[in-house]
Amino acid sequence: MIVSDIVVQKDLVLHQDIKKSRIIIVGDDEAFCKDVCISLSDAGFSTVIISEVFEPDAQIKPDLFLISASSLSRKLTQDVSQFKSLPWAQRCPIICISDDNLNAVGPETTALFDDLVVFPRDIDRLGLSCQTLLSISNERSRLEAELAKKTQKADLALVLLKQAEKKILEQNPALPEKNKENQNIIADMSHELRTPLNAILGFSEIMKQERFGSLGHEKYLGYADDIHNASRHLLGIVNDVLDLAKTESSEENLVITEVSARDAVNETLRLMALLAEESGIELSANIPDEFPNLKTDERRFKQVLTNLVSNAVKFTRRGGRVSVEGQYDTDNGAVLMVIRDNGVGMSPEELALALSPYGQVLEAQTHTHVRGTGLGLPVSKRSIEALGGDFSITSEPGLGTAITLRFPPDLVVTK
């Protein structure tokens, strides 16, 4: 009974906090908005404000928006779409509310909202929907804040670890052999992590597609999608760490064969097509028909191309371009592969950071909301050098980045 009383008291406090949330009703029908406001007040919500304009950047941030369907102009729909694309910490749930059925709103527009309510027909559900979305929002914000703190601690620990490692290696030149053993441990650990992650990815994909029947509430589909995306991101991190361990190992086995650079680029762009389409990025390739083949490790070469094109897409704003160009220097017989974008770009200081293991450019993350491991460029650079090529990069903030992979004449198969 004591435990039960504690749970009830905790739920009551949480319920009271939610009722104090700041709710803004956006609409041009004053009478309709007032009726909605009265209904929410009757449901116990104490801070409900009516506004004729949608102002997500207001000084005092709302906890929940209710937008009248009758006020959904093209501009307001665009503003809501932009607001929904922001990271969770910068936005809040949105409910579309209408005095008639919502069929006229259209599926693309309704997809922008977390819930749809017909008022006053669904007057009893209105308060419950607000309470549910606010509870979910508060819990998600709490979890993300907790994750941010742990990530910050982990990043600090990683920096201290790298500093300690550097100092130890300076004081003990004979440690590379022990470092090699550590790399093997990292590789083994990465292999062990990939197996359960692949299972999580597979099962969450099945849940997303509802292959064995409906999951019930539509929110579960969103959660399955979140699990799938988070697992895919974590698997990418594990793969990057494993790749770094391999590039730092002198025992990596390379299988050198004759590889068609043209085919490798086309395959890479096919793999990246969906990511580019979702990001609103134009992908293109300019590889001459008679472009020479390369003597290289096919798997490693394709992996470098995939890493670099993926990076370029991620750090290019919607509407941007990413291209892969092949150039043959007839004077000295060398082959150049250039991956170019018109993305956020980097300053010389940021470029130096991006080329260091685990280095992450905060300015680029701010503009694109992309967070990675900071291993993509270092792994690609070491891989190309291991293949006998040269890796160079130029970048300008706001203009973009160009990465050049140079293969000397002895790695080029002349036709």
Side-chain angles (χ1 to χ4, degrees), residues 112-155:
L112 297 173
F113 297 95
D114 297 288
D115 199 3
L116 310 168
V117 176
V118 177
F119 183 88
R121 188 193 72 186
D122 299 333
I123 189 170
D124 292 334
R125 194 170 71 83
L126 176 61
L128 179 61
S129 176
C130 292
Q131 184 175 330
T132 301
L133 287 174
L134 286 166
S135 297
I136 293 173
S137 176
N138 289 348
E139 180 63 12
R140 182 167 179 173
S141 297
R142 184 188 68 79
L143 290 174
E144 289 199 353
E146 186 176 330
L147 179 62
K149 288 181 182 178
K150 290 184 178 180
T151 302
Q152 188 176 18
K153 288 181 180 179
D155 289 345

Side-chain angles (χ1 to χ4, degrees), residues 159-323:
V159 170
L160 294 174
L161 183 62
K162 287 295 179 182
Q163 291 175 347
E165 179 185 8
K166 183 179 179 181
K167 186 174 181 180
I168 291 171
L169 286 174
E170 288 174 350
Q171 295 175 349
N172 302 273
L175 275 181
E177 204 56 39
K178 290 185 178 180
N179 187 51
K180 177 182 171 183
E181 182 181 344
N182 291 338
Q183 295 301 331
N184 291 335
I185 292 173
I186 291 174
D188 290 341
M189 180 186 68
S190 298
H191 281 300
E192 292 296 325
L193 284 171
R194 283 202 290 192
T195 300
L197 276 174
N198 280 319
I200 293 171
L201 278 168
F203 290 134
S204 59
E205 181 71 23
I206 290 172
M207 292 170 67
K208 281 172 59 183
Q209 297 175 1
E210 296 185 298
R211 292 184 190 174
F212 301 110
S214 174
L215 294 179
H217 198 285
E218 61 181 9
K219 290 293 179 184
Y220 291 139
L221 279 175
Y223 296 152
D225 192 48
D226 289 342
I227 292 169
H228 188 270
N229 291 337
S231 300
R232 186 169 56 184
H233 176 67
L234 186 54
L235 183 61
I237 293 175
V238 171
N239 287 335
D240 284 348
V241 172
L242 182 58
D243 289 339
L244 183 66
K246 285 181 179 178
T247 59
E248 291 182 345
S249 171
S250 60
E251 296 182 357
E252 182 182 10
N253 295 320
L254 299 174
V255 180
I256 305 300
T257 59
E258 184 175 333
V259 177
S260 168
R262 181 182 173 85
D263 290 347
V265 169
N266 288 335
E267 183 179 331
T268 299
L269 295 194
R270 281 196 299 272
L271 288 173
M272 292 292 106
L274 181 59
L275 175 63
E277 183 179 350
E278 291 175 346
S279 305
I281 306 299
E282 178 188 338
L283 276 184
S284 65
N286 183 15
I287 312 294
D289 292 337
E290 299 301 317
F291 199 71
N293 292 343
L294 299 174
K295 298 175 187 175
T296 189
D297 183 293
E298 183 174 12
R299 184 188 65 83
R300 216 73 174 118
F301 178 58
K302 288 181 178 178
Q303 186 178 40
V304 169
L305 288 177
T306 301
N307 280 348
L308 296 180
V309 172
S310 174
N311 253 22
V313 169
K314 289 176 182 176
F315 292 101
T316 298
R317 296 184 183 91
R318 183 171 293 275
R321 299 183 305 277
V322 174
S323 65

